[in-house]
Amino acid sequence: MMTFFNPNTPLLCRKESAFALPDVPGVWRFHLQIGNTTLLSTFYTRLDQACIVWGVISAIIFIAAQFLPISWTTQAIWWSSLSLIGTVGMVVLTPSWIREEGLGWILDSWIFLMLFGLVITDLGIFLGWPEVLMNLCPLWLGLIALGYFCTGVGMRSRTLTLTGLVHLLSIWILPYCGAWQFLATGIITGGSVLLLAEFQWDSFGTCGNKVEENL
């Protein structure tokens, strides 16, 4: 009988060498070697690349909101544009097997959550809704947590489910961050997704992203 989550599979594991995957389009490979000593050998699948895109975007948006003296309206325009670019990039980078195996609803869920968050954020800024402006960090942590929960269920991943739980619990930690809530949110959202790109995580009963020959 197939178990929903495989408790015997590690949550995270180190990637193999840059040449561990077959030669398929779209995989980034990095191999640095001096003599017989390998300093770095890793790869980034298209899923990893989508994670990197959102990790960088999340860090830029929240860290800039923390430190840059830019008006809310200007930030709304800039960050909405950047988020839309990230959403398009996510769609482009998502492997075709996601929809072929009936998991397209995961991608659709992320698209809905991101667009919903953008609409609420922009309405809050342009219409001056204090309830939204005072809760932007909890809003986005909650939406991203929902996205991880959906992905964790669809891909049978404890790692992604726990990542969603971390984001959800972070909402209760934010008040203790005082004036540094945007920085904390940027570290949590950006750092988590970059960590997922750097390591392989459990999915479909094994530790590692979906077999990449289907990319």
Side-chain angles (χ1 to χ4, degrees):
M1 179 181 299
M2 181 181 66
T3 57
F4 190 75
F5 293 111
N6 187 350
N8 298 319
T9 300
L11 297 177
L12 292 173
C13 55
R14 295 184 62 86
K15 291 181 178 179
E16 300 179 68
S17 72
F19 308 104
L21 292 181
D23 188 16
V24 294
V27 176
W28 293 349
R29 304 176 192 271
F30 296 90
H31 185 80
L32 179 60
Q33 181 174 336
I34 298 179
N36 295 324
T37 302
T38 299
L39 303 178
L40 173 68
S41 186
T42 189
F43 59 86
Y44 298 96
T45 67
R46 296 179 67 182
L47 285 177
D48 295 331
Q49 294 165 32
C51 288
I52 293 173
V53 168
W54 272 114
V56 172
I57 288 176
S58 298
I60 289 175
I61 290 176
F62 287 102
I63 294 177
Q66 181 72 64
F67 293 107
L68 297 184
I70 305 174
S71 69
W72 281 110
T73 53
T74 300
Q75 290 194 58
I77 295 172
W78 287 4
W79 306 146
S80 294
S81 300
L82 188 58
S83 297
L84 289 174
I85 293 173
T87 301
V88 173
M90 176 179 64
V91 173
V92 172
L93 289 171
T94 299
S96 59
W97 60 260
I98 290 288
R99 292 199 180 277
E100 291 171 358
E101 298 194 5
L103 297 174
W105 63 271
I106 296 177
L107 178 60
D108 295 337
S109 297
W110 276 108
I111 294 173
F112 171 79
L113 291 169
M114 295 300 100
L115 294 181
F116 177 78
L118 284 178
V119 170
I120 296 299
T121 299
D122 289 347
L123 287 176
I125 291 174
F126 290 110
L127 299 181
W129 293 348
E131 296 83 1
V132 173
L133 295 177
M134 295 175 61
N135 293 283
L136 286 176
C137 293
L139 169 67
W140 281 100
L141 284 171
L143 291 174
I144 293 173
L146 287 175
Y148 278 120
F149 288 144
C150 291
T151 312
V153 169
M155 302 186 75
R156 304 202 305 275
S157 170
R158 292 171 298 151
T159 303
L160 298 182
T161 303
L162 289 174
T163 303
L165 185 60
V166 168
H167 283 69
L168 197 61
L169 293 177
S170 298
I171 297 175
W172 280 269
I173 299 175
L174 281 180
Y176 299 98
C177 297
W180 301 98
Q181 292 191 18
F182 282 100
L183 176 61
T185 302
I187 292 174
I188 294 167
T189 57
S192 296
V193 76
L194 290 176
L195 183 68
L196 292 174
E198 192 61 34
F199 290 87
Q200 289 188 299
W201 32 269
D202 70 314
S203 59
F204 305 105
T206 62
C207 186
N209 295 327
K210 180 69 175 179
V211 179
E212 303 303 334
E213 59 262 24
N214 291 328
L215 284 176

